[in-house]
Amino acid sequence: MLETYIRVVGVLMSLISLGFIVIWSMQYSCLRKKDHHKVFRLHRLQVVYLMLAYMLLFTILMNTYGFSKGILMLFVGEIALLFLTDWIIEHLFTTSLLPLWSISQYLLIISFVVLARLNLDLGIKQFYMVSGAYLLAFITAFIYHKLDFVKYLGIPGIIVAVGLLLMTNTTINGANNWLVIGGFSFQPSEFVKILYILFLASMFVLFPKNKQRTILIAGIFVMALTFIQVFQKDLGSALIYYVIFILMCYVYTTNRIYIIGGGVVTLVAGYLAWLEFSHVRVRIEAWLNPWADIDYKGYQIAQSLFAIGNGGLTGAGLTLGTPNKVPVVTTDFIYSAIVEELGLIVGMAVIVAVAFIFLFAIQMIEKTHSDFDFLLGSGLVMVYGFQSFLIIGGVTRTVPLTGVTLPFVSYGGSSIFTTFILLGLLQGIKLSIKKHKVRHKNSERVS
């Protein structure tokens, strides 16, 4: 009886996820037509869908954990958090990015449920971290909206970024990219991504007269950050820094030579890394043929593919799969657990959600009259989109595994706080659009 109920919930979750995709598509179309009233009404429908999906999935977990105090408090706490944050978003952000916030809540619900299923203690910790991250995102949005000197913080920011990377003192999962102070640990490379984008946007706006010289100077800092990450064996962050630099140079100059040249350099650098670094060879060999050494080099990716293949369209059922067989399943491979137990349809909805976050953010950024806001926002959504591509592509064997996390979904304070800071900055840019529009009109009158 319970197993039948779990499978029925799996089917309903797939249908709800398809409904979300339809709503996101409608909201995107409405925003293009500037029909904000309909966007808001669709947002209210999303809230109903979110609560329905969450309660259906959590009834399974409550039965699994025997209606213990921990799971009941987690259920009530997460419901309260979702309602409270949604109220704040609707009432305090008068020009809010409602679809973007709603998509993040969809991903968070999946994260809450899957993490609580995998490890209840980690699920509770994730809830506390997300609560703090929401507060930080709201504060970031208001501060960014009020301050006009953020664009001058690029150089101090990159100095802090380099310092943070050089302070790492602990190796976890083969990468020496963790900073442990007392009982507190975090990955500086996650926070450095924000400072890095701030630096590039600042450089490109403050020194526009000689673009080639500006790019060269910025490139020196980019090389420093990238080499530090390579030698710390944090290949995912190194690749993100490099690719985002190439993409932002293209946005800055609109010259396609940066894309072409960057692609060539990427291939050459990848080949040299394969020759020089054993851990790079292991990753690439596992990507090319995980079955050749399934007990060692290819173990992670093979278990991930087994889990994904076991899911089918609507999943094996929450708690009916074996996702804990996949190494580091709560962080790097959480997407495999999602597809195994919730199904391929939900897995595809996660990918569509990532794509729509990118589309909604770009749609908003295009409306700004501030070059700095445009560059900063572009860089932020590039980081989010490319990182999501790397992790989903890595666990599905589309690209070599790089060991980054899935934003809004993977367990970890560094990832969660960084992702919410990114979201807060985008909201701050949205709040600043009207202010910059007025300034732009005034400057046109003066000229």
Side-chain angles (χ1 to χ4, degrees):
M1 186 69 178
L2 176 61
E3 184 174 331
T4 301
Y5 174 73
I6 292 173
R7 295 190 185 281
V8 169
V9 169
V11 174
L12 291 175
M13 186 62 193
S14 297
L15 293 174
I16 290 171
S17 296
L18 291 174
F20 272 113
I21 293 175
V22 173
I23 291 174
W24 297 332
S25 302
M26 293 173 66
Q27 286 180 317
Y28 186 76
S29 176
C30 289
L31 284 175
R32 293 180 66 88
K33 299 174 183 177
K34 298 183 179 181
D35 188 352
H36 298 285
H37 181 67
K38 188 172 182 179
V39 170
F40 182 80
R41 286 191 285 111
L42 288 169
H43 170 74
R44 287 293 178 86
L45 180 60
Q46 284 176 315
V47 174
V48 175
Y49 276 17
L50 283 169
M51 295 303 127
L52 176 61
Y54 182 76
M55 287 188 284
L56 284 172
L57 293 171
F58 233 87
T59 54
I60 299 172
L61 295 182
M62 285 190 284
N63 181 78
T64 301
Y65 287 106
F67 295 90
S68 64
K69 180 180 178 181
I71 195 68
L72 289 173
M73 290 185 67
L74 184 61
F75 174 73
V76 174
E78 289 174 351
I79 284 284
L81 176 66
L82 291 170
F83 272 116
L84 176 61
T85 53
D86 190 71
W87 184 90
I88 292 173
I89 292 164
E90 287 186 16
H91 290 81
L92 297 187
F93 296 138
T94 54
T95 54
S96 177
L97 292 170
L98 284 178
L100 199 150
W101 287 101
S102 296
I103 294 172
S104 69
Q105 288 177 327
Y106 171 80
L107 296 174
L108 281 173
I109 280 179
I110 292 176
S111 174
F112 285 153
V113 171
V114 173
L115 284 175
R117 178 268 184 270
L118 294 170
N119 187 313
L120 182 57
D121 290 337
L122 293 186
I124 293 172
K125 290 180 181 178
Q126 185 83 339
F127 164 68
Y128 288 133
M129 289 186 292
V130 168
S131 301
Y134 259 119
L135 178 61
L136 183 59
F138 296 152
I139 293 173
T140 299
F142 281 113
I143 289 178
Y144 185 88
H145 171 52
K146 296 296 182 181
L147 300 181
D148 289 325
F149 59 83
V150 176
K151 64 182 178 182
Y152 300 105
L153 300 179
I155 293 178
I158 201 66
I159 293 173
V160 172
V162 173
L164 283 173
L165 291 181
L166 294 176
M167 289 172 63
T168 55
N169 56 14
T170 303
T171 299
I172 298 179
N173 294 328
N176 182 28
N177 63 340
W178 288 82
L179 176 60
V180 178
I181 303 174
F184 178 74
S185 63
F186 70 98
Q187 287 180 284
S189 59
E190 288 290 336
F191 298 98
V192 165
K193 292 170 188 172
I194 303 295
L195 297 173
Y196 173 67
I197 298 301
L198 174 63
F199 165 72
L200 291 178
S202 177
M203 287 288 291
F204 293 162
V205 168
L206 296 180
F207 306 100
K209 291 184 178 179
N210 191 323
K211 292 186 177 182
Q212 284 70 30
R213 182 182 299 173
T214 301
I215 290 173
L216 178 61
I217 295 172
I220 294 172
F221 286 95
V222 173
M223 288 178 61
L225 291 177
T226 302
F227 279 119
I228 291 172
Q229 291 296 280
V230 168
F231 286 105
Q232 289 179 342
K233 298 184 179 181
D234 188 356
L235 303 179
S237 294
L239 183 59
I240 289 172
Y241 294 153
Y242 173 74
V243 170
I244 297 306
F245 175 66
I246 297 300
L247 294 176
M248 285 198 68
C249 286
Y250 171 71
V251 172
Y252 177 49
T253 64
T254 67
N255 191 338
R256 295 179 182 177
I257 191 63
Y258 290 101
I259 301 293
I260 298 171
V264 173
V265 172
T266 300
L267 294 175
V268 173
Y271 178 71
L272 293 176
W274 182 78
L275 292 176
E276 295 295 328
F277 298 103
S278 59
H279 59 283
V280 176
R281 286 196 295 275
V282 169
R283 294 279 179 90
I284 293 179
E285 289 170 6
W287 171 58
L288 292 174
N289 187 5
W291 321 112
D293 192 358
I294 195 172
D295 294 325
Y296 175 54
K297 295 178 182 179
Y299 183 77
Q300 283 183 316
I301 187 64
Q303 292 300 321
S304 173
L305 294 175
F306 286 145
I308 292 172
N310 188 45
L313 280 178
T314 58
L318 190 66
T319 72
L320 297 181
T322 55
N324 281 311
K325 288 185 177 180
V326 183
V328 290
V329 68
T330 58
T331 53
D332 297 14
F333 285 87
I334 195 168
Y335 185 76
S336 305
I338 292 170
V339 176
E340 179 180 9
E341 294 204 335
L342 299 182
L344 184 61
I345 292 176
V346 175
M348 291 301 297
V350 170
I351 295 176
V352 174
V354 170
F356 268 112
I357 285 181
F358 185 86
L359 290 174
F360 280 121
I362 290 296
Q363 188 181 60
M364 179 271 294
I365 293 165
E366 289 177 342
K367 299 175 183 178
T368 183
H369 291 278
S370 166
D371 291 339
F372 177 73
D373 282 359
F374 180 80
L375 286 168
L376 179 66
S378 298
L380 293 173
V381 295
M382 287 175 190
V383 165
Y384 175 80
F386 186 62
Q387 180 169 326
S388 300
F389 165 75
L390 282 181
I391 186 60
I392 295 175
V395 302
T396 56
R397 200 176 157 231
T398 304
V399 296
L401 191 65
T402 53
V404 296
T405 54
L406 182 57
F408 293 115
V409 181
S410 295
Y411 172 77
S414 302
S415 175
I416 283 294
F417 279 102
T418 302
T419 304
F420 271 90
I421 291 173
L422 182 154
L423 188 56
L425 287 171
L426 288 175
Q427 181 65 73
I429 292 172
K430 174 65 174 180
L431 293 171
S432 300
I433 286 178
K434 186 175 181 180
K435 176 176 66 177
H436 292 302
K437 185 177 181 179
V438 172
R439 290 179 180 176
H440 180 70
K441 288 182 177 179
N442 291 337
S443 64
E444 284 183 338
R445 290 172 185 170
V446 172
S447 60

